[in-house]
Amino acid sequence: MHTELAPYAAQSQTSRGRLHAEPPSVARSEFQRDRDRIIHCAAFRRLEYKTQVFVNHEGDLFRTRLTHSLEVAQIARSIARNLALNEDLVEAISLAHDLGHTPFGHAGQDALNDCMRDHGGFEHNLQSLRVVDVLEERYGAFDGLNLTFETREGILKHCPPNAACELGDVARRFLDGGQPTLEAQLANLADEIAYNNHDIDDGLRSGLITLEQIEEVDLYARYRREVEAVYPGIGGRRAIHETVRRMINALILDLIHTSTERIRAAGVASVDEVRASLPLIAFSDAMRAEADALKRFLLENLYRHYLVNRMSSRARRVINQLFSSFSAEPILLPPGYQLKGGSQEAQYRKIADYIAGMTDRYAMREYRRLFDVEEM
Ligand code: MG
């Protein structure tokens, strides 16, 4: 375990800084300050009521975007400490990575993207950056949270070229082919470790996937056998948890080992060299293949389960109808979202911001308020 940062770790003192210059914090590093700003913002609190896979009210034990983000931060910090990377930065990126998600999970994002197709589209990574750069209203001197360059570039995981041209420095790597910091690369893979494993747990808990099905997945079956050898006859939820925690551990250890080797082989000695190198945070080929098989299993058996499809279909209807009503009659929007004298395109973007910011239950409430005659 490391107490000092590696030379290739991001350092608060050499951050590329904030869009609006601010005096340094007295008691915190710049990345700690970013993390604190994220935890205190409104979009972070809304994560509690946004769907990961299961709609928020379907059960109290399922992951929400908030608990998902906390799990990502936990996994990312454990790995960061082992690689002597900057824990504060991975924590800030992890906690902010899903801030731009719409209500109703991926179904909501796809529906909003369809609505916005002729108006620049909608993409949750870009929206996460928009939340922290523009939409949060907490400071007298600027819009957004004014986070450091490194946290912002970590939030922006993907970016199409046309958007990258508009965003400038923070998106330059999508045009030049460079890499972000190792902390950003790490937060991305911690996200994958978190959702693959908690979706098994939630999928089994919901009954949408069965134990017989999941044992077809090599990674699960291997650790399930190990659990049986240690605790013969163990069953039920304890067997699932003992198996899933071994899987998480195996993925984390593989990532630490493989990334250590890749960093050593690349010989990087600074963040600039990391940026010019190939991606260095990675699973071994064997573990990558097993993780991909697990992802495929979840896609086929959970994310495309007919009951999940029904939820997605209802979500699409809610988002589509909200969007078309607000577009046809912007006077139905709360005053802060009505653009007086702005362009029609700017009004569409405002509507997308309003819908994307909704929690699942707020979106359903808005839907009822607009369309349910019983509510009149
Ligand atoms: Mg995520």
Side-chain angles (χ1 to χ4, degrees), residues 52 65 68 72 97-98 157 191 195:
Q52 185 68 25
R65 291 238 174 253
H68 162 70
V72 175
H97 85 284
D98 273 353
K157 275 192 289 198
D191 184 23
Y195 66 67

Side-chain angles (χ1 to χ4, degrees), residues 1-11 76-88 90 182-183 186 256 259-260 263 271 281:
M1 211 67 84
H2 303 271
T3 49
E4 264 178 40
L5 294 184
Y8 41 77
Q11 307 268 350
R77 286 183 55 196
S78 299
I79 299 168
R81 192 175 299 186
N82 276 277
L83 295 176
L85 296 176
N86 196 311
E87 269 185 76
D88 297 330
V90 287
L182 295 177
E183 286 80 359
L186 169 53
I256 292 170
S259 304
T260 303
I263 291 167
V271 175
I281 304 295

Side-chain angles (χ1 to χ4, degrees), residues 75 125 149 210 341 351-352 361:
I75 289 167
N125 278 297
F149 177 89
T210 63
I351 294 170
R361 61 185 185 175

